[in-house]
Amino acid sequence: MPADLPPQSPPVSRLPPELLIDIFDHCSDEPSDQPTPVVLGQVCRYWRDVTSLSPRIWQHIYLYESNGTSISHDQAQRWVSMSHPLPYDVRIEAAIPDMILPLLSPVLSQMQRLQRCVISGRHEEQFDFSKYPFDRDRACFVDELHLLIKGMSALDTLGLNTDSDMSDDRPGQTIFRAHSLPDAPSELALHFAVYALPLPTVMKPIPVKSICITEVSLDVTTDVPRMLTFLRCTPLLETLHFTGWPQEGDPIQPGHLFPVKLPHLRVFFIRSTVSVRAILSHIDAPALEELYLEHTNVDFELRTEPYVVESCPSDEGESEDEAHDFSQSPWSDHATGMGLRTLLKRSRPPLQVLHMDYADMRTKDFRWCFEHLDRLREFQIVGSDMSDRVLGMLAPYRRRWLTYGLANMREAEDPRGAWAVRLPRLQKLAIWHCQRVSGDAMVQAMCDRVAFTDRVAEEGRGDTVECVAVVGCSEVLFNHIHALSEALGDRLRVQ
């Protein structure tokens, strides 16, 4: 019995601390939307001392959507702290599946002692972390976060569309997916099917390094402001995949888009969206090394977003392409080129890999990018309408007169270094299914470039081409392949 309690105290107050802790532990293990340890500690000073000094009582964290995210976040952080150094469990009660990730977010940065997670409500699941050999030295076990944006089909999972043919659609896929690796810690991926991306107002920062956002329904139109706002919750992000649908959403008004800084982003993948300009123009990624643009070409006219129309002064390059080269997708070419320009100007990233798969630009955009990508080592382009002018930009040029080709390069009056190449560190080049590129231009540009860069590499002043792939280009004929083979040797890959 505590020595400071008077003899007339109630019997329960004279219980030894060990027994009281057992009772409190049993009470706190019962599901409740009330903060049981806090309530018990308010009874008297003795109980408050017992609860504040007993980690066992704080091992069970119950987070209820009905309590609101602010209260739940504070509760989760306090319970995790008070339960130290013991393992803890988390139970989430959410009627709306979209609220599971916000409720779970404060726990994701403190997973070293997390033992079990139980989710109930519209989605039922439990996951036992103790069964897998996770690296317990890591604050966050989550290697990948997958977010499937379902649009109206997700609304039906909330029971709001009872007449829909999809009324049986439920978030039946598991959220927690562990992958066991031989002789290595297990990897964990989280999969959420949501109506819309959560906002920072209901989220705590999550320390995941890889995120995949996929719009899985035609009912979804890309909400770029919301996506950029969500990304503010991912300060450690290194890899970002986004896949959308090639359809326009609501006009983006001035004052609704703000750049988001992702200082650790190294790999960025964008596929099947007409919002490529808005996305690229508002990502600040100073560490970006690899950029993959896929299936962003469309053959219909895209509107000029209101935020672009009212920008003053207008962005450099906004005018029409002076080359007037043919394109099947002039509007998306303009959007992709302007987005890439803005990304490079804002972030100045050490970009080393650029893949453009049915993602095209105007001739003036290719030129601008080639002149600013001085660290690019790998360039692959598929299904482009690029003209011979673009290929010519890969050949050496004279800095003073900007003429192409190698004619008179060894003239005595030319000082060393008067000749240069764009993309000076380029080592791998792949040109696939580019039907407007002529074989003659291909031979001229590649043979001249290789002759120049081989000499530069021999002198230790730069890099040269290691691999050139030419696939499915109808204007590149057998005689062109033969000429390329003589210049490139086994560095040439053709089909």
Side-chain angles (χ1 to χ4, degrees), residues 191-221:
H191 292 249
F192 293 91
V194 297
Y195 166 64
L197 292 172
L199 295 174
T201 52
V202 297
M203 289 280 293
K204 287 291 183 181
I206 50 179
V208 296
K209 295 184 178 181
S210 178
I211 292 181
C212 181
I213 301 173
T214 305
E215 297 174 349
V216 296
S217 170
L218 283 170
D219 295 325
V220 181
T221 55

mmCIF file of all heavy atoms in Angstrom, residues 191-221:
data_model
loop_
_atom_site.group_PDB
_atom_site.id
_atom_site.type_symbol
_atom_site.label_atom_id
_atom_site.label_comp_id
_atom_site.label_asym_id
_atom_site.label_seq_id
_atom_site.Cartn_x
_atom_site.Cartn_y
_atom_site.Cartn_z
ATOM 1 N N HIS A 191 -1.098 -0.580 -49.679
ATOM 2 C CA HIS A 191 -1.976 -0.337 -50.822
ATOM 3 C C HIS A 191 -3.304 0.230 -50.320
ATOM 4 O O HIS A 191 -3.989 -0.404 -49.513
ATOM 5 C CB HIS A 191 -2.226 -1.636 -51.593
ATOM 6 C CG HIS A 191 -1.013 -2.162 -52.302
ATOM 7 N ND1 HIS A 191 -0.900 -2.171 -53.673
ATOM 8 C CD2 HIS A 191 0.140 -2.692 -51.824
ATOM 9 C CE1 HIS A 191 0.271 -2.686 -54.011
ATOM 10 N NE2 HIS A 191 0.917 -3.016 -52.907
ATOM 11 N N PHE A 192 -3.647 1.404 -50.815
ATOM 12 C CA PHE A 192 -4.907 2.040 -50.432
ATOM 13 C C PHE A 192 -5.711 2.372 -51.681
ATOM 14 O O PHE A 192 -5.171 2.890 -52.666
ATOM 15 C CB PHE A 192 -4.653 3.342 -49.660
ATOM 16 C CG PHE A 192 -4.025 3.161 -48.313
ATOM 17 C CD1 PHE A 192 -2.652 3.187 -48.170
ATOM 18 C CD2 PHE A 192 -4.808 2.953 -47.188
ATOM 19 C CE1 PHE A 192 -2.061 3.014 -46.932
ATOM 20 C CE2 PHE A 192 -4.236 2.779 -45.944
ATOM 21 C CZ PHE A 192 -2.854 2.812 -45.812
ATOM 22 N N ALA A 193 -7.006 2.069 -51.663
ATOM 23 C CA ALA A 193 -7.932 2.491 -52.701
ATOM 24 C C ALA A 193 -8.766 3.628 -52.131
ATOM 25 O O ALA A 193 -9.493 3.444 -51.157
ATOM 26 C CB ALA A 193 -8.822 1.331 -53.141
ATOM 27 N N VAL A 194 -8.643 4.822 -52.715
ATOM 28 C CA VAL A 194 -9.262 6.010 -52.132
ATOM 29 C C VAL A 194 -10.047 6.765 -53.194
ATOM 30 O O VAL A 194 -9.832 6.595 -54.400
ATOM 31 C CB VAL A 194 -8.197 6.940 -51.515
ATOM 32 C CG1 VAL A 194 -7.479 6.239 -50.368
ATOM 33 C CG2 VAL A 194 -7.185 7.407 -52.560
ATOM 34 N N TYR A 195 -10.960 7.597 -52.725
ATOM 35 C CA TYR A 195 -11.704 8.472 -53.627
ATOM 36 C C TYR A 195 -10.832 9.637 -54.085
ATOM 37 O O TYR A 195 -10.860 10.037 -55.248
ATOM 38 C CB TYR A 195 -12.958 8.989 -52.930
ATOM 39 C CG TYR A 195 -13.604 10.145 -53.631
ATOM 40 C CD1 TYR A 195 -14.135 10.004 -54.908
ATOM 41 C CD2 TYR A 195 -13.682 11.392 -53.021
ATOM 42 C CE1 TYR A 195 -14.719 11.080 -55.560
ATOM 43 C CE2 TYR A 195 -14.265 12.470 -53.660
ATOM 44 C CZ TYR A 195 -14.777 12.309 -54.925
ATOM 45 O OH TYR A 195 -15.347 13.373 -55.570
ATOM 46 N N ALA A 196 -10.030 10.170 -53.181
ATOM 47 C CA ALA A 196 -9.151 11.292 -53.513
ATOM 48 C C ALA A 196 -7.948 11.248 -52.584
ATOM 49 O O ALA A 196 -7.999 10.652 -51.502
ATOM 50 C CB ALA A 196 -9.886 12.622 -53.363
ATOM 51 N N LEU A 197 -6.876 11.871 -53.015
ATOM 52 C CA LEU A 197 -5.681 11.916 -52.184
ATOM 53 C C LEU A 197 -5.958 12.714 -50.917
ATOM 54 O O LEU A 197 -6.642 13.748 -50.953
ATOM 55 C CB LEU A 197 -4.528 12.563 -52.951
ATOM 56 C CG LEU A 197 -3.983 11.765 -54.141
ATOM 57 C CD1 LEU A 197 -2.981 12.608 -54.923
ATOM 58 C CD2 LEU A 197 -3.341 10.473 -53.679
ATOM 59 N N PRO A 198 -5.426 12.276 -49.781
ATOM 60 C CA PRO A 198 -5.649 13.024 -48.540
ATOM 61 C C PRO A 198 -4.892 14.346 -48.553
ATOM 62 O O PRO A 198 -3.862 14.491 -49.218
ATOM 63 C CB PRO A 198 -5.098 12.078 -47.458
ATOM 64 C CG PRO A 198 -4.120 11.204 -48.171
ATOM 65 C CD PRO A 198 -4.641 11.042 -49.564
ATOM 66 N N LEU A 199 -5.408 15.288 -47.806
ATOM 67 C CA LEU A 199 -4.800 16.607 -47.713
ATOM 68 C C LEU A 199 -3.915 16.706 -46.473
ATOM 69 O O LEU A 199 -4.135 15.986 -45.487
ATOM 70 C CB LEU A 199 -5.884 17.681 -47.657
ATOM 71 C CG LEU A 199 -6.753 17.810 -48.914
ATOM 72 C CD1 LEU A 199 -7.876 18.809 -48.681
ATOM 73 C CD2 LEU A 199 -5.910 18.227 -50.112
ATOM 74 N N PRO A 200 -2.926 17.594 -46.463
ATOM 75 C CA PRO A 200 -2.054 17.735 -45.289
ATOM 76 C C PRO A 200 -2.793 18.098 -44.015
ATOM 77 O O PRO A 200 -2.290 17.852 -42.916
ATOM 78 C CB PRO A 200 -1.093 18.855 -45.708
ATOM 79 C CG PRO A 200 -1.073 18.816 -47.188
ATOM 80 C CD PRO A 200 -2.468 18.419 -47.593
ATOM 81 N N THR A 201 -3.989 18.672 -44.134
ATOM 82 C CA THR A 201 -4.748 19.039 -42.938
ATOM 83 C C THR A 201 -5.168 17.822 -42.130
ATOM 84 O O THR A 201 -5.487 17.951 -40.945
ATOM 85 C CB THR A 201 -5.992 19.851 -43.331
ATOM 86 O OG1 THR A 201 -6.727 19.127 -44.337
ATOM 87 C CG2 THR A 201 -5.602 21.208 -43.883
ATOM 88 N N VAL A 202 -5.198 16.634 -42.762
ATOM 89 C CA VAL A 202 -5.585 15.423 -42.040
ATOM 90 C C VAL A 202 -4.437 14.415 -41.990
ATOM 91 O O VAL A 202 -4.643 13.265 -41.626
ATOM 92 C CB VAL A 202 -6.825 14.753 -42.666
ATOM 93 C CG1 VAL A 202 -8.021 15.683 -42.572
ATOM 94 C CG2 VAL A 202 -6.564 14.348 -44.113
ATOM 95 N N MET A 203 -3.226 14.869 -42.335
ATOM 96 C CA MET A 203 -2.094 13.952 -42.412
ATOM 97 C C MET A 203 -0.940 14.442 -41.551
ATOM 98 O O MET A 203 -0.750 15.636 -41.343
ATOM 99 C CB MET A 203 -1.597 13.834 -43.868
ATOM 100 C CG MET A 203 -2.520 13.098 -44.798
ATOM 101 S SD MET A 203 -2.367 11.309 -44.637
ATOM 102 C CE MET A 203 -0.718 11.049 -45.264
ATOM 103 N N LYS A 204 -0.150 13.494 -41.080
ATOM 104 C CA LYS A 204 1.174 13.780 -40.559
ATOM 105 C C LYS A 204 2.191 13.403 -41.630
ATOM 106 O O LYS A 204 1.925 12.538 -42.458
ATOM 107 C CB LYS A 204 1.443 12.977 -39.278
ATOM 108 C CG LYS A 204 0.699 13.470 -38.049
ATOM 109 C CD LYS A 204 1.238 14.816 -37.612
ATOM 110 C CE LYS A 204 0.560 15.290 -36.339
ATOM 111 N NZ LYS A 204 1.060 16.623 -35.910
ATOM 112 N N PRO A 205 3.341 14.037 -41.669
ATOM 113 C CA PRO A 205 4.345 13.654 -42.671
ATOM 114 C C PRO A 205 4.665 12.166 -42.594
ATOM 115 O O PRO A 205 4.817 11.601 -41.516
ATOM 116 C CB PRO A 205 5.563 14.511 -42.287
ATOM 117 C CG PRO A 205 4.981 15.697 -41.583
ATOM 118 C CD PRO A 205 3.793 15.172 -40.834
ATOM 119 N N ILE A 206 4.749 11.539 -43.754
ATOM 120 C CA ILE A 206 5.031 10.103 -43.805
ATOM 121 C C ILE A 206 6.405 9.899 -44.455
ATOM 122 O O ILE A 206 6.676 10.430 -45.532
ATOM 123 C CB ILE A 206 3.928 9.336 -44.565
ATOM 124 C CG1 ILE A 206 3.617 9.985 -45.911
ATOM 125 C CG2 ILE A 206 2.666 9.265 -43.729
ATOM 126 C CD1 ILE A 206 2.558 9.270 -46.721
ATOM 127 N N PRO A 207 7.283 9.128 -43.834
ATOM 128 C CA PRO A 207 8.671 9.017 -44.299
ATOM 129 C C PRO A 207 8.888 7.940 -45.351
ATOM 130 O O PRO A 207 9.929 7.285 -45.357
ATOM 131 C CB PRO A 207 9.419 8.688 -42.998
ATOM 132 C CG PRO A 207 8.438 7.890 -42.199
ATOM 133 C CD PRO A 207 7.077 8.450 -42.531
ATOM 134 N N VAL A 208 7.933 7.722 -46.237
ATOM 135 C CA VAL A 208 8.109 6.723 -47.285
ATOM 136 C C VAL A 208 9.015 7.282 -48.381
ATOM 137 O O VAL A 208 9.059 8.492 -48.618
ATOM 138 C CB VAL A 208 6.763 6.290 -47.884
ATOM 139 C CG1 VAL A 208 5.917 5.595 -46.832
ATOM 140 C CG2 VAL A 208 6.018 7.474 -48.458
ATOM 141 N N LYS A 209 9.725 6.370 -49.064
ATOM 142 C CA LYS A 209 10.666 6.786 -50.097
ATOM 143 C C LYS A 209 10.159 6.506 -51.507
ATOM 144 O O LYS A 209 10.725 7.018 -52.473
ATOM 145 C CB LYS A 209 12.009 6.096 -49.881
ATOM 146 C CG LYS A 209 12.700 6.515 -48.586
ATOM 147 C CD LYS A 209 14.073 5.877 -48.448
ATOM 148 C CE LYS A 209 14.763 6.346 -47.175
ATOM 149 N NZ LYS A 209 16.121 5.753 -47.034
ATOM 150 N N SER A 210 9.101 5.707 -51.640
ATOM 151 C CA SER A 210 8.574 5.382 -52.961
ATOM 152 C C SER A 210 7.046 5.434 -52.935
ATOM 153 O O SER A 210 6.425 4.806 -52.069
ATOM 154 C CB SER A 210 9.046 3.992 -53.406
ATOM 155 O OG SER A 210 8.508 3.652 -54.665
ATOM 156 N N ILE A 211 6.459 6.188 -53.858
ATOM 157 C CA ILE A 211 5.002 6.323 -53.934
ATOM 158 C C ILE A 211 4.565 6.089 -55.375
ATOM 159 O O ILE A 211 5.181 6.591 -56.319
ATOM 160 C CB ILE A 211 4.525 7.705 -53.463
ATOM 161 C CG1 ILE A 211 4.764 7.873 -51.958
ATOM 162 C CG2 ILE A 211 3.054 7.925 -53.773
ATOM 163 C CD1 ILE A 211 4.292 9.200 -51.414
ATOM 164 N N CYS A 212 3.479 5.336 -55.520
ATOM 165 C CA CYS A 212 2.875 5.089 -56.826
ATOM 166 C C CYS A 212 1.418 5.540 -56.765
ATOM 167 O O CYS A 212 0.624 4.979 -55.998
ATOM 168 C CB CYS A 212 2.975 3.610 -57.191
ATOM 169 S SG CYS A 212 2.279 3.204 -58.805
ATOM 170 N N ILE A 213 1.063 6.558 -57.543
ATOM 171 C CA ILE A 213 -0.293 7.091 -57.591
ATOM 172 C C ILE A 213 -0.899 6.704 -58.932
ATOM 173 O O ILE A 213 -0.357 7.043 -59.991
ATOM 174 C CB ILE A 213 -0.305 8.616 -57.425
ATOM 175 C CG1 ILE A 213 0.341 9.012 -56.088
ATOM 176 C CG2 ILE A 213 -1.723 9.159 -57.518
ATOM 177 C CD1 ILE A 213 0.529 10.510 -55.923
ATOM 178 N N THR A 214 -2.027 5.997 -58.902
ATOM 179 C CA THR A 214 -2.639 5.497 -60.124
ATOM 180 C C THR A 214 -4.118 5.842 -60.158
ATOM 181 O O THR A 214 -4.849 5.529 -59.212
ATOM 182 C CB THR A 214 -2.485 3.971 -60.250
ATOM 183 O OG1 THR A 214 -1.096 3.624 -60.151
ATOM 184 C CG2 THR A 214 -3.031 3.467 -61.571
ATOM 185 N N GLU A 215 -4.553 6.492 -61.218
ATOM 186 C CA GLU A 215 -5.977 6.750 -61.424
ATOM 187 C C GLU A 215 -6.550 5.550 -62.166
ATOM 188 O O GLU A 215 -6.194 5.299 -63.319
ATOM 189 C CB GLU A 215 -6.168 8.039 -62.213
ATOM 190 C CG GLU A 215 -5.650 9.267 -61.461
ATOM 191 C CD GLU A 215 -5.705 10.537 -62.285
ATOM 192 O OE1 GLU A 215 -5.953 10.424 -63.515
ATOM 193 O OE2 GLU A 215 -5.505 11.624 -61.726
ATOM 194 N N VAL A 216 -7.426 4.798 -61.514
ATOM 195 C CA VAL A 216 -7.859 3.511 -62.055
ATOM 196 C C VAL A 216 -9.236 3.561 -62.702
ATOM 197 O O VAL A 216 -9.759 2.527 -63.100
ATOM 198 C CB VAL A 216 -7.853 2.435 -60.941
ATOM 199 C CG1 VAL A 216 -6.451 2.207 -60.440
ATOM 200 C CG2 VAL A 216 -8.773 2.827 -59.784
ATOM 201 N N SER A 217 -9.822 4.732 -62.812
ATOM 202 C CA SER A 217 -11.165 4.826 -63.373
ATOM 203 C C SER A 217 -11.256 6.021 -64.310
ATOM 204 O O SER A 217 -10.637 7.068 -64.075
ATOM 205 C CB SER A 217 -12.203 4.966 -62.256
ATOM 206 O OG SER A 217 -13.480 5.285 -62.786
ATOM 207 N N LEU A 218 -12.050 5.872 -65.360
ATOM 208 C CA LEU A 218 -12.302 6.991 -66.266
ATOM 209 C C LEU A 218 -13.110 8.093 -65.595
ATOM 210 O O LEU A 218 -13.228 9.198 -66.124
ATOM 211 C CB LEU A 218 -13.041 6.493 -67.509
ATOM 212 C CG LEU A 218 -12.175 5.769 -68.550
ATOM 213 C CD1 LEU A 218 -13.056 5.124 -69.604
ATOM 214 C CD2 LEU A 218 -11.202 6.736 -69.200
ATOM 215 N N ASP A 219 -13.690 7.785 -64.439
ATOM 216 C CA ASP A 219 -14.420 8.808 -63.692
ATOM 217 C C ASP A 219 -13.477 9.826 -63.060
ATOM 218 O O ASP A 219 -13.914 10.866 -62.580
ATOM 219 C CB ASP A 219 -15.255 8.163 -62.575
ATOM 220 C CG ASP A 219 -16.353 7.272 -63.123
ATOM 221 O OD1 ASP A 219 -16.899 7.619 -64.179
ATOM 222 O OD2 ASP A 219 -16.643 6.232 -62.513
ATOM 223 N N VAL A 220 -12.181 9.516 -63.039
ATOM 224 C CA VAL A 220 -11.214 10.364 -62.361
ATOM 225 C C VAL A 220 -10.590 11.339 -63.349
ATOM 226 O O VAL A 220 -10.178 10.954 -64.441
ATOM 227 C CB VAL A 220 -10.101 9.513 -61.708
ATOM 228 C CG1 VAL A 220 -9.109 10.413 -60.976
ATOM 229 C CG2 VAL A 220 -10.699 8.500 -60.752
ATOM 230 N N THR A 221 -10.516 12.590 -62.973
ATOM 231 C CA THR A 221 -9.708 13.572 -63.695
ATOM 232 C C THR A 221 -8.640 14.066 -62.737
ATOM 233 O O THR A 221 -8.892 14.258 -61.546
ATOM 234 C CB THR A 221 -10.550 14.755 -64.194
ATOM 235 O OG1 THR A 221 -11.247 15.350 -63.086
ATOM 236 C CG2 THR A 221 -11.549 14.295 -65.234
#
